[in-house]
Amino acid sequence: GRIMTFLIVAILAMIVSVGIAVAARVVLLWMGLSEANAGVLAFFIMPLLWTWLAYALLMEERRMAQWRMLALYAVPGLIMLGTGLVA
């Protein structure tokens, strides 16, 4: 119970947040931002999203709802990996 909650909220939510930040960086580069600006914004997005995602996951009462939420938020990072836009 508690160990699984910790793993979901601390580890998996962080990995998902990194994936979204990397996806955001790619989108920002497509929008014409410089490498430096896109990188800084990705570094800014990751901890904010991780905090929000951890809070939202902890508010879910059912484990299945937590898994669904993680799966939904993992989509942008998975798309970027699947298309080969990030290594």
Side-chain angles (χ1 to χ4, degrees), residues 30-53:
W30 282 347
M31 292 173 53
L33 265 70
S34 68
E35 286 276 338
N37 288 337
V40 166
L41 284 173
F43 280 125
F44 180 73
I45 289 169
M46 185 271 174
L48 290 177
L49 186 62
W50 186 14
T51 303
W52 184 88
L53 188 55

Side-chain angles (χ1 to χ4, degrees), residues 46-78:
M46 185 271 174
L48 290 177
L49 186 62
W50 186 14
T51 303
W52 184 88
L53 188 55
Y55 173 78
L57 287 168
L58 287 172
M59 292 300 112
E60 289 291 343
E61 293 181 7
R62 296 180 176 224
R63 184 76 66 209
M64 198 62 198
Q66 290 176 331
W67 289 116
R68 280 194 299 265
M69 185 181 298
L70 278 175
L72 176 70
Y73 281 98
V75 169
L78 292 174

